[in-house]
Amino acid sequence: MIKNQIKKVAFTWPNGYYNDGIKLGIGVSDKLDFGYLVSEVPANAAGTYTTNQFQAAPTKLTKTMINQDHQLQAVVMNSAIANSCTGAQGEADAHEEQQLVTDKLQLDPSLVGVASTGLIGAFLPMDKIKQGIAQLSPHHGDNVTRAVMTTDKQPKHACVQLEMAGKKVTITGFAKGSGMIHPKMATMLGFVTTDAAVDGDFLQQMLSQNVDTTFNQITVDGDTSTNDMVVVMANGKADTPELTSVDDADYEAFNTGLHTVLGELAKQIAADGEGATKLVECNVSGALNEMEGQEVAKAIVGSNLVKAAVFGQDPNWGRIIATVGNTTAHVDTEHVAIMVNDVPMVADSVAVPFDEQAASQKMGADKVVIDVDLHAGDATGQAWGCDLTYNYVKINASYHT
């Protein structure tokens, strides 16, 4: 019932937000590479961040700002250079970016976050950054969604609308990510905005729970970067009652909308994996518990052997069942079932007859869905990845040069 109240709509910003994205020449490409996202008023905020031990300077700074009182009003962001593993200079540069935006917008520094993505180990060209911040101006298009792209083939965004207390609420998100994607919060950045009013601590709780079943369930190459960050801002401009707990009347609707946006962005990242030609979705049923269902699903979409088989349209279910067996999940090893794009291939852990040529043709679709039943319980799991192609190696063999 609640899902029917959530409408996916064309990209539009919620009330009270503006952005900009410009070409600053931070890297060697001619893409937009610098921008900002701003709320007209201070917004309650939440964030999740990379678990990589080498956490980039902008990621650490934004985490500190949000953790102070779960508020944020602006985020300045760039692609091409990650400002990671840059020592004291990198931290000073991130703080200088924050101060420049603070001065430009006349905000408290605690309300300004910083995000960077790109090459690890390089320093930001601060002379260009200063010029760029001076050039930024309020717009309502989608330039900022393109300013964070690195090897992404296209911008990634999602938007839903719903009613809360009889008023229209919009939840809009955008993300970047194509390689180094294996979140436990990858060079992956995600930003979600809403005009709903949500308590900051409660927003943090909702974000953390939803990230576990969306962004943390995608993988492109098994590598987690130093700059991962997902930030949600709720500025209350829709003039709805503030959500503070799961008992609030509109909690379920808002939470479903948030999950929808995060899930759509996660799938877009997986589908746009470096060199990828197919989105791979794995649905696990019959798991002992949700944690084990998620573990198995992510292991399957992350297996290089499975990914290569998907690229080659090879219906080699042995790659899948072997991956299941390599996890720590409970499995009824006598009764596992496997299906690929609706073609049953395994029942009771042994092959069933199927037309291999027809199955191979079906694996040529843009999306390959792998269904696995562990027969160990009633829980489920879901994850997304992509195929492993020759082009992935080509892209990453020359990323630096």
Side-chain angles (χ1 to χ4, degrees), residues 6 15 18 20 22 35 61 117 126 136 140 164 175 192 197 222 225 241 252 268 270 278 311 315 335 345 365 378 390:
I6 311 299
N15 294 316
Y18 62 86
D20 198 8
I22 60 175
L61 177 59
T117 183
M126 290 307 296
L136 294 173
H140 294 90
M164 294 175 61
V192 179
S225 180
E252 189 176 348
Q268 289 177 44
K278 300 177 180 70
F311 172 60
H335 296 99
M345 296 183 182
D378 298 319
Y390 307 123

Side-chain angles (χ1 to χ4, degrees), residues 335-348:
H335 296 99
V336 168
I338 297 173
M339 188 163 58
V340 179
N341 275 8
D342 297 323
V343 177
M345 296 183 182
V346 176
D348 294 329

Side-chain angles (χ1 to χ4, degrees), residues 36 49 80 114 145 157 301 370:
Y36 69 176
Y49 316 91
V114 182
T145 72
H157 38 63
V301 299
I370 300 171

